[in-house]
Amino acid sequence: MSRLSEIQERIDKKIANVVVFGMGYIGLPTALFYAEKGLNVTGLDTNADLVSDLKNGITHMEEEGLDSLASQNLPRIRLITSYEEIEKADVCVLCLPSPIDKEKKPVLRFLENSIAELGRRLKKGCLVLIESTVPVGTTERLATLFAEESRLKLGNDFWFAHCPERVLPGKVVAELETNHRLAGGVTSQSTKLATAFLSSVFNAELVHPTSARVSEAAKLAENSYRDVNVAFANELARICAELGIDVTEVIQLANLHPRVDILRPGIGVGGYCLPKDGWLLVQSIKDGTFVPRLITAARSVNDEMPAYVFSRVQELDLEALSLKPIVGLLGLSFKPNVSDTRNSPSVQLVHILLAAGMEVIVFDPYVERDYGAKRAESLDELLDACEVVILGVGHDMLVRDLVEKDLSQKVFIDPNNSMPDLKNRVKKYIGLSI
Ligand SMILES: NC(=O)c1ccc[n+]([C@@H]2O[C@H](COP(=O)([O-])OP(=O)(O)OC[C@H]3O[C@@H](n4cnc5c(N)ncnc54)[C@H](O)[C@@H]3O)[C@@H](O)[C@H]2O)c1
């Protein structure tokens, strides 16, 4: 039996040894999901503290449905920290970081180091899947690196594909099951094998075979598209502010047009993916003659939003309004109802307020860190301490509790238009444009 038939059979019979690399936001739910579908799963993360916590059943993610998925499936996963223990792997799934540096250039060393380690250890007949979001062409380069390190032959001894993760933070567990999947091989046999593997755990109708380069580009296009759309809404908000009209009303009325669907403007775009993926797409072109402009402009528009919200605070003359010189900021995560603060515009606003010498008190029911500000232990403590309140993130829990409070003496800044009904219940309501 050829090596290809062997691994194909192990995948079909669900007896393949699957190793998921990186037990973070994507890798952990992925490993749990595979375990639930009956695969033999090993989870490898180089962060020993994280692995030790997982062995004790402790996860560090606030995700709907994750606790129950973890309580049933964590005990079924072999958790390790060392590449020494992966020789028996048939399928390797890499869910490793792919950030950008200060110059907005892709940082691929996590993937490169991992592939070099794998190349030194894996046996003949393995399938490597890159789930990380990467610049176009990266999977092909990683396959070449793997071949050099392992001295194995692509298409004969190993197969290699890009299978991006497209889940939405907050809905990761549900979307793992329902999202469409791409199987982008670096060769047609790699595509077939990746398709077979994904179809063994996901609904086969949701698995789309393609090439590695198209898969990489499609993933980057999705996130860049969303980023550009939010930037349009944010630019509209800034225009409306200059014109003294309410951007929310403008968007509401514009969206009555059957072919218009403008997204919501707000405090900015955060999270792990959207702020970097446009750059990964743009940086995929190295020596081309075309210089992309729209995606990079959108990045600047969205990046400027926390500073713009700060300018709205500055417009308030606290002394003239006889207000305490302390600002309360509610919500620190990058979006509602999650604990993830990576690239959070709200946290950026905390830094801007502090740098301007303002006293800042923060509260987020999902986030324990204070980011250099004073941290209130409760919503009441924050409301007692300040008269200027910014709702940086409208967690459902916060909105529900705020409705019950007496806010009549507060200046309420609501950049995401989370609580427009407060307009007549507060001393002064400040939205994004008016
Ligand atoms: N977070 C999201 O919502 C999301 C959504 C879709 C796609 N993605 C993409 O998925 C990839 C992973 O993102 P994430 O949010 O899970 O990152 P993460 O930082 O939460 O997790 C990465 C994990 O990899 C571990 N790690 C680093 N180097 C390692 C190595 N050499 N070997 C083994 N483990 C190593 C880290 O300790 C960490 O636990 C990224 O490319 C990201 O762009 C993320």
Side-chain angles (χ1 to χ4, degrees), residues 20-28 44-47 50 61 63 81 83 94-99 109-111 113-114 117 131-134 164-169 172 219 223 272-273 276-277 280 334 340 342:
V20 178
F21 294 80
M23 289 286 96
Y25 281 83
I26 295 305
L28 175 63
L44 186 152
D45 200 296
T46 45
N47 180 341
L50 175 75
M61 292 168 60
E63 272 294 337
T81 54
Y83 280 76
L94 274 65
C95 304
L96 299 179
S98 54
R109 67 168 188 281
F110 299 97
L111 285 159
N113 292 345
S114 183
E117 292 272 1
E131 286 220 8
S132 305
T133 309
V134 290
E165 191 44 73
R166 318 160 96 185
V167 287
L168 180 75
V172 170
K219 168 66 199 179
N223 280 353
Y272 187 57
C273 298
K276 74 176 171 76
D277 288 353
L280 294 183
F334 85 89
D340 190 350
R342 291 184 290 179

Short mmCIF file of all heavy atoms in Angstrom, two decimals, residues 20-28 44-47 50 61 63 81 83 94-99 109-111 113-114 117 131-134 164-169 172 219 223 272-273 276-277 280 334 340 342, ligand 1:
data_model
loop_
_atom_site.label_atom_id
_atom_site.label_comp_id
_atom_site.label_asym_id
_atom_site.label_seq_id
_atom_site.Cartn_x
_atom_site.Cartn_y
_atom_site.Cartn_z
N VAL A 20 -2.52 19.03 17.30
CA VAL A 20 -2.84 20.44 17.10
C VAL A 20 -1.75 21.25 17.80
O VAL A 20 -1.49 21.06 18.99
CB VAL A 20 -4.24 20.79 17.67
CG1 VAL A 20 -4.54 22.28 17.49
CG2 VAL A 20 -5.31 19.94 17.00
N PHE A 21 -1.12 22.15 17.06
CA PHE A 21 -0.03 22.97 17.61
C PHE A 21 -0.56 24.35 17.95
O PHE A 21 -1.10 25.04 17.08
CB PHE A 21 1.11 23.07 16.59
CG PHE A 21 1.76 21.75 16.33
CD1 PHE A 21 1.17 20.85 15.48
CD2 PHE A 21 2.93 21.40 16.98
CE1 PHE A 21 1.75 19.60 15.25
CE2 PHE A 21 3.51 20.17 16.78
CZ PHE A 21 2.92 19.26 15.91
N GLY A 22 -0.38 24.78 19.21
CA GLY A 22 -0.93 26.05 19.68
C GLY A 22 -2.29 25.82 20.31
O GLY A 22 -3.24 25.47 19.61
N MET A 23 -2.35 25.95 21.64
CA MET A 23 -3.62 25.73 22.36
C MET A 23 -4.25 27.07 22.74
O MET A 23 -4.73 27.26 23.85
CB MET A 23 -3.37 24.90 23.63
CG MET A 23 -3.02 23.45 23.39
SD MET A 23 -4.45 22.47 22.86
CE MET A 23 -4.24 22.52 21.11
N GLY A 24 -4.22 28.04 21.79
CA GLY A 24 -4.76 29.37 22.06
C GLY A 24 -6.23 29.47 21.66
O GLY A 24 -6.96 28.48 21.66
N TYR A 25 -6.64 30.67 21.29
CA TYR A 25 -8.04 30.95 20.97
C TYR A 25 -8.58 30.02 19.88
O TYR A 25 -9.76 29.66 19.90
CB TYR A 25 -8.20 32.41 20.51
CG TYR A 25 -8.21 33.39 21.64
CD1 TYR A 25 -7.02 33.87 22.18
CD2 TYR A 25 -9.40 33.86 22.17
CE1 TYR A 25 -7.02 34.77 23.23
CE2 TYR A 25 -9.42 34.76 23.22
CZ TYR A 25 -8.22 35.21 23.75
OH TYR A 25 -8.22 36.09 24.79
N ILE A 26 -7.73 29.67 18.92
CA ILE A 26 -8.18 28.82 17.82
C ILE A 26 -7.84 27.35 18.07
O ILE A 26 -8.67 26.46 17.90
CB ILE A 26 -7.54 29.31 16.49
CG1 ILE A 26 -8.07 30.70 16.14
CG2 ILE A 26 -7.80 28.33 15.35
CD1 ILE A 26 -9.57 30.82 16.08
N GLY A 27 -6.60 27.11 18.50
CA GLY A 27 -6.14 25.72 18.64
C GLY A 27 -6.92 24.93 19.68
O GLY A 27 -7.26 23.76 19.45
N LEU A 28 -7.21 25.55 20.82
CA LEU A 28 -7.91 24.80 21.88
C LEU A 28 -9.30 24.35 21.44
O LEU A 28 -9.60 23.14 21.49
CB LEU A 28 -7.96 25.63 23.18
CG LEU A 28 -8.76 24.97 24.31
CD1 LEU A 28 -8.13 23.65 24.75
CD2 LEU A 28 -8.90 25.91 25.51
N LEU A 44 -0.34 20.41 21.49
CA LEU A 44 1.01 20.83 21.90
C LEU A 44 1.08 22.35 21.97
O LEU A 44 0.70 23.03 21.02
CB LEU A 44 2.04 20.31 20.90
CG LEU A 44 3.52 20.55 21.26
CD1 LEU A 44 4.41 19.47 20.63
CD2 LEU A 44 4.03 21.93 20.87
N ASP A 45 1.52 22.86 23.11
CA ASP A 45 1.77 24.30 23.23
C ASP A 45 3.08 24.47 23.98
O ASP A 45 3.33 23.77 24.96
CB ASP A 45 0.63 25.01 23.96
CG ASP A 45 0.61 26.51 23.68
OD1 ASP A 45 1.58 27.20 24.06
OD2 ASP A 45 -0.36 26.99 23.03
N THR A 46 3.91 25.42 23.53
CA THR A 46 5.20 25.63 24.17
C THR A 46 5.06 26.42 25.48
O THR A 46 6.02 26.54 26.23
CB THR A 46 6.16 26.37 23.22
OG1 THR A 46 5.44 27.44 22.60
CG2 THR A 46 6.69 25.44 22.14
N ASN A 47 3.88 26.94 25.74
CA ASN A 47 3.62 27.66 27.00
C ASN A 47 3.26 26.62 28.09
O ASN A 47 2.13 26.13 28.15
CB ASN A 47 2.49 28.67 26.78
CG ASN A 47 2.16 29.45 28.04
OD1 ASN A 47 2.51 29.04 29.15
ND2 ASN A 47 1.49 30.58 27.85
N LEU A 50 0.26 27.32 30.44
CA LEU A 50 -1.04 27.12 29.78
C LEU A 50 -1.37 25.62 29.75
O LEU A 50 -2.49 25.21 30.10
CB LEU A 50 -0.97 27.68 28.35
CG LEU A 50 -2.19 27.45 27.48
CD1 LEU A 50 -3.33 28.36 27.89
CD2 LEU A 50 -1.86 27.70 26.00
N MET A 61 -10.43 31.19 28.36
CA MET A 61 -11.21 31.88 27.33
C MET A 61 -12.67 31.99 27.73
O MET A 61 -13.23 31.04 28.25
CB MET A 61 -11.17 31.08 26.02
CG MET A 61 -9.83 31.05 25.36
SD MET A 61 -9.85 29.80 24.06
CE MET A 61 -11.16 30.40 23.00
N GLU A 63 -15.85 31.92 26.13
CA GLU A 63 -16.48 31.57 24.85
C GLU A 63 -17.74 30.76 25.12
O GLU A 63 -17.69 29.78 25.87
CB GLU A 63 -15.53 30.72 23.98
CG GLU A 63 -14.60 31.48 23.09
CD GLU A 63 -15.30 32.25 21.97
OE1 GLU A 63 -16.42 31.90 21.60
OE2 GLU A 63 -14.71 33.24 21.51
N THR A 81 4.12 19.68 25.86
CA THR A 81 4.81 20.95 25.59
C THR A 81 6.02 20.76 24.69
O THR A 81 6.64 21.73 24.27
CB THR A 81 5.33 21.57 26.91
OG1 THR A 81 6.13 20.60 27.57
CG2 THR A 81 4.21 22.02 27.81
N TYR A 83 8.23 19.07 21.38
CA TYR A 83 8.18 18.48 20.04
C TYR A 83 8.79 17.07 20.00
O TYR A 83 8.64 16.37 19.01
CB TYR A 83 8.91 19.40 19.04
CG TYR A 83 8.06 20.56 18.58
CD1 TYR A 83 7.83 21.65 19.40
CD2 TYR A 83 7.46 20.56 17.32
CE1 TYR A 83 7.04 22.71 18.99
CE2 TYR A 83 6.67 21.61 16.90
CZ TYR A 83 6.46 22.69 17.74
OH TYR A 83 5.67 23.73 17.32
N LEU A 94 -1.54 23.33 12.45
CA LEU A 94 -0.83 24.44 13.10
C LEU A 94 -1.74 25.64 13.29
O LEU A 94 -2.19 26.27 12.32
CB LEU A 94 0.40 24.82 12.25
CG LEU A 94 1.67 24.02 12.52
CD1 LEU A 94 1.49 22.55 12.14
CD2 LEU A 94 2.86 24.60 11.80
N CYS A 95 -2.02 25.94 14.56
CA CYS A 95 -2.85 27.10 14.93
C CYS A 95 -1.96 28.08 15.70
O CYS A 95 -2.19 28.35 16.87
CB CYS A 95 -4.02 26.67 15.80
SG CYS A 95 -5.04 25.40 15.06
N LEU A 96 -0.93 28.55 15.04
CA LEU A 96 0.10 29.35 15.72
C LEU A 96 -0.06 30.83 15.37
O LEU A 96 -0.67 31.18 14.37
CB LEU A 96 1.49 28.86 15.28
CG LEU A 96 1.78 27.41 15.64
CD1 LEU A 96 3.15 26.98 15.15
CD2 LEU A 96 1.66 27.19 17.15
N PRO A 97 0.52 31.71 16.21
CA PRO A 97 0.37 33.15 15.97
C PRO A 97 1.00 33.56 14.63
O PRO A 97 1.99 32.98 14.20
CB PRO A 97 1.15 33.79 17.13
CG PRO A 97 1.32 32.72 18.15
CD PRO A 97 1.31 31.42 17.42
N SER A 98 0.40 34.57 14.01
CA SER A 98 0.98 35.15 12.78
C SER A 98 0.77 36.66 12.86
O SER A 98 0.04 37.23 12.07
CB SER A 98 0.30 34.57 11.54
OG SER A 98 -1.12 34.74 11.63
N PRO A 99 1.42 37.31 13.84
CA PRO A 99 1.18 38.75 14.05
C PRO A 99 1.92 39.61 13.01
O PRO A 99 2.55 39.07 12.11
CB PRO A 99 1.75 38.99 15.44
CG PRO A 99 2.78 37.92 15.65
CD PRO A 99 2.38 36.76 14.79
N ARG A 109 7.91 33.80 12.31
CA ARG A 109 8.89 32.93 12.97
C ARG A 109 8.22 31.81 13.78
O ARG A 109 8.79 30.73 13.91
CB ARG A 109 9.87 33.72 13.83
CG ARG A 109 9.29 34.38 15.03
CD ARG A 109 10.35 34.89 16.00
NE ARG A 109 9.72 35.35 17.22
CZ ARG A 109 9.10 36.53 17.34
NH1 ARG A 109 9.08 37.37 16.33
NH2 ARG A 109 8.51 36.85 18.47
N PHE A 110 7.01 32.05 14.32
CA PHE A 110 6.34 30.98 15.09
C PHE A 110 6.10 29.77 14.19
O PHE A 110 6.37 28.63 14.56
CB PHE A 110 5.00 31.48 15.67
CG PHE A 110 5.16 32.64 16.61
CD1 PHE A 110 4.97 33.94 16.17
CD2 PHE A 110 5.50 32.43 17.94
CE1 PHE A 110 5.13 35.02 17.04
CE2 PHE A 110 5.64 33.49 18.81
CZ PHE A 110 5.46 34.79 18.36
N LEU A 111 5.59 30.06 13.00
CA LEU A 111 5.29 28.97 12.05
C LEU A 111 6.60 28.36 11.53
O LEU A 111 6.73 27.14 11.44
CB LEU A 111 4.46 29.51 10.88
CG LEU A 111 2.99 29.77 11.22
CD1 LEU A 111 2.36 30.75 10.26
CD2 LEU A 111 2.21 28.45 11.21
N ASN A 113 9.61 28.28 12.91
CA ASN A 113 10.28 27.47 13.94
C ASN A 113 9.59 26.13 14.11
O ASN A 113 10.23 25.08 14.25
CB ASN A 113 10.29 28.19 15.30
CG ASN A 113 11.16 29.42 15.27
OD1 ASN A 113 11.96 29.59 14.35
ND2 ASN A 113 11.00 30.31 16.24
N SER A 114 8.27 26.18 14.12
CA SER A 114 7.49 24.97 14.33
C SER A 114 7.71 23.99 13.17
O SER A 114 7.91 22.79 13.37
CB SER A 114 6.01 25.34 14.47
OG SER A 114 5.26 24.21 14.73
N GLU A 117 11.04 22.35 13.41
CA GLU A 117 11.00 21.29 14.44
C GLU A 117 10.31 20.05 13.89
O GLU A 117 10.77 18.92 14.08
CB GLU A 117 10.22 21.76 15.68
CG GLU A 117 10.88 22.86 16.47
CD GLU A 117 11.83 22.33 17.52
OE1 GLU A 117 12.00 21.10 17.60
OE2 GLU A 117 12.43 23.16 18.22
N GLU A 131 -3.43 26.31 9.77
CA GLU A 131 -4.71 27.00 10.02
C GLU A 131 -4.50 28.50 10.24
O GLU A 131 -5.44 29.28 10.17
CB GLU A 131 -5.42 26.40 11.25
CG GLU A 131 -6.01 25.05 10.98
CD GLU A 131 -7.38 24.83 11.61
OE1 GLU A 131 -7.98 25.77 12.16
OE2 GLU A 131 -7.85 23.69 11.56
N SER A 132 -3.26 28.88 10.56
CA SER A 132 -2.97 30.29 10.82
C SER A 132 -3.27 31.12 9.57
O SER A 132 -3.18 30.63 8.45
CB SER A 132 -1.50 30.47 11.18
OG SER A 132 -1.16 29.65 12.26
N THR A 133 -3.58 32.40 9.81
CA THR A 133 -3.79 33.34 8.71
C THR A 133 -2.42 33.84 8.26
O THR A 133 -1.66 34.36 9.08
CB THR A 133 -4.62 34.54 9.22
OG1 THR A 133 -5.79 34.03 9.87
CG2 THR A 133 -5.03 35.45 8.09
N VAL A 134 -2.12 33.69 6.98
CA VAL A 134 -0.76 34.02 6.52
C VAL A 134 -0.78 34.76 5.19
O VAL A 134 -1.73 34.62 4.42
CB VAL A 134 0.09 32.72 6.38
CG1 VAL A 134 0.40 32.11 7.73
CG2 VAL A 134 -0.59 31.70 5.47
N PRO A 164 -7.62 27.69 6.47
CA PRO A 164 -7.75 28.80 7.43
C PRO A 164 -8.92 28.64 8.37
O PRO A 164 -9.93 28.02 8.02
CB PRO A 164 -7.95 30.01 6.52
CG PRO A 164 -8.60 29.45 5.29
CD PRO A 164 -8.00 28.09 5.10
N GLU A 165 -8.78 29.23 9.54
CA GLU A 165 -9.87 29.27 10.52
C GLU A 165 -10.62 30.57 10.32
O GLU A 165 -10.03 31.62 10.13
CB GLU A 165 -9.27 29.17 11.93
CG GLU A 165 -10.28 28.94 12.98
CD GLU A 165 -11.30 27.89 12.59
OE1 GLU A 165 -10.99 26.69 12.56
OE2 GLU A 165 -12.43 28.30 12.27
N ARG A 166 -11.98 30.49 10.36
CA ARG A 166 -12.77 31.69 10.03
C ARG A 166 -13.80 31.99 11.11
O ARG A 166 -14.76 32.73 10.87
CB ARG A 166 -13.49 31.46 8.70
CG ARG A 166 -12.61 30.80 7.70
CD ARG A 166 -13.39 30.13 6.61
NE ARG A 166 -13.47 31.03 5.47
CZ ARG A 166 -14.19 30.76 4.38
NH1 ARG A 166 -14.87 29.65 4.30
NH2 ARG A 166 -14.23 31.62 3.39
N VAL A 167 -13.61 31.41 12.30
CA VAL A 167 -14.61 31.59 13.35
C VAL A 167 -14.60 33.00 13.92
O VAL A 167 -13.59 33.69 13.89
CB VAL A 167 -14.37 30.60 14.51
CG1 VAL A 167 -14.74 29.20 14.11
CG2 VAL A 167 -12.93 30.66 14.98
N LEU A 168 -15.74 33.38 14.46
CA LEU A 168 -15.91 34.71 15.06
C LEU A 168 -15.71 34.60 16.57
O LEU A 168 -16.39 33.80 17.22
CB LEU A 168 -17.34 35.20 14.77
CG LEU A 168 -17.73 36.57 15.30
CD1 LEU A 168 -17.08 37.66 14.45
CD2 LEU A 168 -19.25 36.74 15.27
N PRO A 169 -14.78 35.38 17.15
CA PRO A 169 -14.63 35.34 18.60
C PRO A 169 -15.98 35.59 19.29
O PRO A 169 -16.73 36.49 18.89
CB PRO A 169 -13.65 36.48 18.90
CG PRO A 169 -12.87 36.62 17.64
CD PRO A 169 -13.83 36.30 16.52
N VAL A 172 -17.12 31.02 18.64
CA VAL A 172 -16.16 30.05 18.10
C VAL A 172 -16.72 28.63 18.09
O VAL A 172 -16.66 27.94 17.07
CB VAL A 172 -14.84 30.12 18.91
CG1 VAL A 172 -13.92 28.96 18.53
CG2 VAL A 172 -14.13 31.43 18.67
N LYS A 219 -8.99 34.03 2.82
CA LYS A 219 -9.06 34.34 4.26
C LYS A 219 -8.71 35.81 4.51
O LYS A 219 -9.39 36.51 5.27
CB LYS A 219 -8.09 33.41 5.02
CG LYS A 219 -7.84 33.79 6.47
CD LYS A 219 -9.07 33.66 7.33
CE LYS A 219 -8.93 34.45 8.61
NZ LYS A 219 -10.07 34.38 9.48
N ASN A 223 -11.34 39.29 5.97
CA ASN A 223 -11.12 40.22 7.07
C ASN A 223 -10.83 41.64 6.58
O ASN A 223 -11.24 42.62 7.22
CB ASN A 223 -9.99 39.72 7.98
CG ASN A 223 -10.51 38.64 8.92
OD1 ASN A 223 -11.71 38.39 8.97
ND2 ASN A 223 -9.63 38.02 9.68
N TYR A 272 -7.57 40.18 17.47
CA TYR A 272 -6.29 39.68 16.98
C TYR A 272 -6.18 39.81 15.46
O TYR A 272 -5.10 40.06 14.92
CB TYR A 272 -6.14 38.20 17.40
CG TYR A 272 -4.78 37.64 17.08
CD1 TYR A 272 -3.62 38.24 17.59
CD2 TYR A 272 -4.63 36.52 16.27
CE1 TYR A 272 -2.37 37.74 17.30
CE2 TYR A 272 -3.39 36.01 15.98
CZ TYR A 272 -2.26 36.62 16.49
OH TYR A 272 -1.02 36.12 16.20
N CYS A 273 -7.32 39.67 14.76
CA CYS A 273 -7.24 39.45 13.31
C CYS A 273 -7.40 40.71 12.45
O CYS A 273 -6.54 41.02 11.63
CB CYS A 273 -8.28 38.42 12.91
SG CYS A 273 -7.98 36.84 13.70
N LYS A 276 -4.64 43.25 11.69
CA LYS A 276 -3.40 42.81 11.03
C LYS A 276 -3.63 42.21 9.64
O LYS A 276 -2.76 42.28 8.78
CB LYS A 276 -2.64 41.81 11.89
CG LYS A 276 -3.27 40.41 11.94
CD LYS A 276 -2.43 39.43 12.73
CE LYS A 276 -3.16 38.12 12.96
NZ LYS A 276 -3.23 37.25 11.81
N ASP A 277 -4.82 41.64 9.41
CA ASP A 277 -4.98 40.83 8.20
C ASP A 277 -4.94 41.66 6.91
O ASP A 277 -4.47 41.17 5.87
CB ASP A 277 -6.24 39.96 8.29
CG ASP A 277 -6.05 38.82 9.29
OD1 ASP A 277 -4.92 38.64 9.79
OD2 ASP A 277 -7.03 38.10 9.58
N LEU A 280 -1.40 41.88 6.14
CA LEU A 280 -0.87 40.62 5.61
C LEU A 280 -1.21 40.48 4.13
O LEU A 280 -0.40 39.99 3.33
CB LEU A 280 -1.42 39.41 6.39
CG LEU A 280 -1.01 39.27 7.87
CD1 LEU A 280 -1.57 37.99 8.47
CD2 LEU A 280 0.51 39.29 8.03
N PHE A 334 -12.12 43.92 23.22
CA PHE A 334 -12.14 44.54 21.89
C PHE A 334 -13.53 44.52 21.26
O PHE A 334 -13.77 45.18 20.25
CB PHE A 334 -11.10 43.87 20.97
CG PHE A 334 -11.57 42.62 20.28
CD1 PHE A 334 -12.18 42.67 19.04
CD2 PHE A 334 -11.37 41.37 20.85
CE1 PHE A 334 -12.62 41.52 18.40
CE2 PHE A 334 -11.79 40.22 20.22
CZ PHE A 334 -12.41 40.30 18.99
N ASP A 340 -11.42 39.02 25.56
CA ASP A 340 -10.20 39.24 24.78
C ASP A 340 -9.93 40.74 24.62
O ASP A 340 -10.77 41.48 24.11
CB ASP A 340 -10.41 38.58 23.40
CG ASP A 340 -9.14 38.53 22.57
OD1 ASP A 340 -8.14 39.15 22.96
OD2 ASP A 340 -9.17 37.85 21.52
N ARG A 342 -7.05 41.89 23.09
CA ARG A 342 -5.96 42.10 22.13
C ARG A 342 -6.33 43.21 21.14
O ARG A 342 -7.39 43.21 20.55
CB ARG A 342 -5.66 40.79 21.39
CG ARG A 342 -5.03 39.76 22.34
CD ARG A 342 -4.64 38.49 21.63
NE ARG A 342 -5.79 37.73 21.21
CZ ARG A 342 -5.69 36.57 20.54
NH1 ARG A 342 -4.51 36.09 20.23
NH2 ARG A 342 -6.78 35.92 20.19
N1 LIG B 1 -8.43 34.61 17.40
C1 LIG B 1 -9.24 34.56 16.38
O1 LIG B 1 -10.39 34.95 16.48
C2 LIG B 1 -8.81 33.98 15.04
C3 LIG B 1 -9.79 33.74 14.08
C4 LIG B 1 -9.41 33.20 12.87
C5 LIG B 1 -8.06 32.95 12.63
N2 LIG B 1 -7.11 33.21 13.56
C6 LIG B 1 -5.70 32.93 13.25
O2 LIG B 1 -5.35 31.75 13.96
C7 LIG B 1 -3.97 31.81 14.34
C8 LIG B 1 -3.84 31.58 15.82
O3 LIG B 1 -4.50 32.63 16.50
P1 LIG B 1 -4.90 32.53 18.03
O4 LIG B 1 -5.83 33.66 18.28
O5 LIG B 1 -5.33 31.15 18.36
O6 LIG B 1 -3.48 32.81 18.72
P2 LIG B 1 -3.13 32.59 20.29
O7 LIG B 1 -2.02 33.53 20.56
O8 LIG B 1 -4.36 32.65 21.12
O9 LIG B 1 -2.60 31.09 20.36
C9 LIG B 1 -1.37 30.69 19.82
C10 LIG B 1 -0.75 29.67 20.77
O10 LIG B 1 0.42 29.15 20.12
C11 LIG B 1 1.41 28.90 21.12
N3 LIG B 1 2.71 28.80 20.46
C12 LIG B 1 3.53 29.80 20.02
N4 LIG B 1 4.60 29.26 19.39
C13 LIG B 1 4.45 27.91 19.43
C14 LIG B 1 5.19 26.83 18.89
N5 LIG B 1 6.31 27.01 18.20
N6 LIG B 1 4.72 25.57 19.10
C15 LIG B 1 3.57 25.35 19.78
N7 LIG B 1 2.82 26.34 20.32
C16 LIG B 1 3.26 27.61 20.12
C17 LIG B 1 1.26 30.07 22.07
O11 LIG B 1 1.78 29.75 23.35
C18 LIG B 1 -0.27 30.26 22.09
O12 LIG B 1 -0.88 29.55 23.17
C19 LIG B 1 -3.47 33.18 13.88
O13 LIG B 1 -2.86 33.05 12.62
C20 LIG B 1 -4.73 33.99 13.74
O14 LIG B 1 -4.59 35.03 12.80
C21 LIG B 1 -7.47 33.71 14.78
#
